[in-house]
Amino acid sequence: MKHSRHSLIELTMARLKEFWREKEIVFWVFCFPVLLSVALGLAFRGQSEVLIRVAVLDVEGAAELAKSLDEHESIDCFLLTEAESVVQLRNGDVVMLVVPGNPHSYRYDPTRTESSFARLLVDDALQRGAGRQDLLLGKDDYVEQVGSRYIDFLIPGLLGLNIMGSGMWGVGFAVVSMRAGKLLKRFLASPMRKSDFLLSFLLSRLVFLLPEVICILGAGYLIFGVEIQGSILSVLLVALVGCIAFSGLGLLCGTRIKTVEGAQGMLNLVMLPMWIFSGVFFSTKNFPEFMQPVLKFLPLTALNDAIRAIMLDGASLASTAGGLMIVVAWGVIPFFVALKIFRWN
Amino acid sequence: MDLGYNPMKLPVCSIRKEILLNQDDVVIRCRGLVKRYGDVTAVDGLDLEVLRGECFGLLGPNGAGKTTTTEILEGLLPADDGDVTVQGLRWGESDAELRQQLGIQLQETLLPAKLTVTEVLRLFRSFYHNGHAVQEILDTVELNEKKDAWVSKLSGGQKQRLAIGCALVSEPDILFLDEPTTGLDPQARRKVWEIVEKFKSGGKTVLLTTHYMEEAERLSDRVAIVDHGKVIALGSPRDLIGRLGGEDVVEFSVEKGVRLPDAGDLESLTGVQSVLIQDEMVRLSVAKVHLAVPALLEKLAETGAQLSMLTTHHATLEDVFVALTGRHLREA
Ligand SMILES: Nc1ncnc2c1ncn2[C@@H]1O[C@H](COP(=O)(O)OP(=O)(O)OP(=O)(O)O)[C@@H](O)[C@H]1O
Ligand SMILES: [Mg+2]
């Protein structure tokens, strides 16, 4: 008759150990979002560093023209033959071709913003080169607003995405694989309290939430200098609400499915639309007006909006309450439905 | 007669059974159990009573309904019809109480692969009010050397012993074992048997499901032979084998195209108790194999039949099953 620890603690410890010992899961939860943010952050780094690529048709006198254009800080200029220029214009390797002559002619696709911009830039450079004087003087006043870069937009989205993924997989998938291995049935055959079992999933998710948040926000800060305008505590609380919500939703997804393949299908079915429609990688404003009300009520959209409001706009926790209610509803309702229809064997 | 097993064991068991039968201490009772899956009737009006302190074996071929019956008794499956009491309690009324008293090993459970043996035992121990220390179970199921190994790194036999350990950790009154040794090699099987025997020697009850007749014969005080969801024979292994009428079985077949002697002729041979002719194969249940075989050979020589095969063995529960159903327990 030995004293033993409470089953809730044992169940939670078991979940934590299983999670930690599964190296693949650790990769997806901790390394993948960081790698993704690095990759996307590099691909979409500040536009000012980008050079406009234009070409000059390689005829007599073209070399000097090209050289003078290439000296411009925002222009990268090449000499191309007629044949090469056709291909490169089509591929977008260069966005405009200058055909030297009198007058020079500019060959470009006016529906492409970048090409139209190149035309203005090149024309301006050539006019100045020919000695034009500016009649009006303009002064540049660059907007250096914090949180306006793509990476600033991306990091909160990745945080939301990660909270969704680890909650849904961590609960939904785990429950189904236990059912598939008849472990749930074995638990049912013991006097284990079901509430302890379900609570252990939530607790283990919460334990891992903090390192997840630190990992993503830390990488964003250290690599890209993404800062949190609002309070860190508010971000953590929103993350907590999101974590609970997606654990509930994950549980619902896993209530009745019998095979791990079925679970994968189900979870992807639920999560993939949110990868696209919830403003993770680009704003939901890109979708037509009539879709907006629907998109706004997706759990991940509501979560991302709340995280961004706090991180980028420095909003208070109270001002995100509306969105958080949506997130909470997505967690609580599925949780109780799941309890009703849960299958142990 | 000696069945060839541990000679110390049989008398002890039968004595305990006598005492308990008198007390009529029934720990599991089910009446008219029925379970259907669509068109399939997995359990078809099954009755059984398990007495305190005995090892009760359910022996039957694949699909006989053993697991279904066991899981109904364990309160894991609802029956379509019939009545079940365990320790005098009913499922649906006293579940929490019952769960504390039972130790259950399911036919197939994948225990958490990435937990160690100790961690799994500690987890299961935490579900129960009372029970053994984890270390005691490690000793009982002989997994001390593997106590820090992940479940995924265990051999089949070790996994099975861990599953039994999880069932024993609560010091249960009744142990349910569903095919505890299927798929194990003979040595691993013997280890499992020793664990069960040790548990039973503490006066505890075991309900064992198997389709190995050696296992049923060695471990069980009483055996119910189950086929198509019904109990078709019930008794101690000795009684059941005894009902064949002979202690040995002679099987033979003759070259094709030669007429066999009549069943009646065979039955009248010295020492032969009963005859079963199945296709080409003849099985004789014999009391005195040293007399019966010469008599048989003489008879065959008379009719001019050439033997193509002849074997003899001590009668087993397998022979009981064949005599009852004309089929083997495990279709090869
Ligand atoms: N969940 C189920 N759905 C449909 N049919 C089932 C189900 N479970 C069992 N059966 C059927 O019920 C019958 C009895 O199955 P059961 O598992 O009880 O047999 P068993 O005696 O334990 O066999 P085995 O020795 O193979 O374990 C079989 O015909 C089986 O196909
Ligand atoms: Mg079975």
Side-chain angles (χ1 to χ4, degrees), chain B residues 61-68 70-71 107-108 178-179 209-211:
Chain B
N62 287 133
K66 306 182 295 295
T67 298
T68 308
T70 311
E71 288 187 354
Q107 185 165 1
E108 37 188 67
D178 195 353
E179 300 201 9
T209 283
T210 183
H211 49 81

Side-chain angles (χ1 to χ4, degrees), chain A residues 24 48 61 86 113 121 138 143 166 216 219 247 253 274 302 313 319 338 343:
Chain A
E24 284 165 46
S48 63
V86 171
T113 330
L121 202 64
V143 179
S166 51
I216 294 179
S247 301
C253 290
M274 287 195 268
D313 307 336
S319 69
R343 252 225 187 98

Side-chain angles (χ1 to χ4, degrees), chain B residues 186-207:
Chain B
Q187 197 191 343
R189 186 167 296 163
R190 216 159 294 130
K191 270 198 170 165
V192 169
W193 291 349
E194 281 161 16
I195 296 168
V196 178
E197 279 163 353
K198 196 165 156 201
F199 175 79
K200 218 179 62 149
S201 69
K204 304 292 189 74
T205 311
V206 181
L207 182 74

Side-chain angles (χ1 to χ4, degrees), chain B residues 283-299:
Chain B
R283 315 172 139 255
L284 308 177
S285 184
V286 304
K288 296 194 174 75
V289 72
H290 63 287
L291 298 179
V293 171
L296 171 66
L297 294 176
E298 206 171 302
K299 184 83 199 167

Side-chain angles (χ1 to χ4, degrees), chain B residues 2-63:
Chain B
D2 175 356
L3 287 172
Y5 311 122
N6 176 1
M8 300 295 288
K9 200 184 118 265
L10 286 168
V12 177
C13 295
S14 35
I15 289 166
R16 185 180 312 120
K17 203 191 80 193
E18 294 304 315
I19 297 166
L20 287 165
L21 272 174
N22 292 339
Q23 291 178 348
D24 193 27
D25 196 356
V26 178
V27 288
I28 302 174
R29 167 178 282 139
C30 79
R31 294 265 157 78
L33 211 57
V34 175
K35 178 74 186 178
R36 295 183 200 91
Y37 292 108
D39 295 343
V40 181
T41 304
V43 180
D44 191 7
L46 186 139
D47 302 319
L48 58 84
E49 286 182 347
V50 179
L51 308 176
R52 186 171 307 285
E54 78 173 339
C55 176
F56 189 93
L58 286 175
L59 179 68
N62 287 133

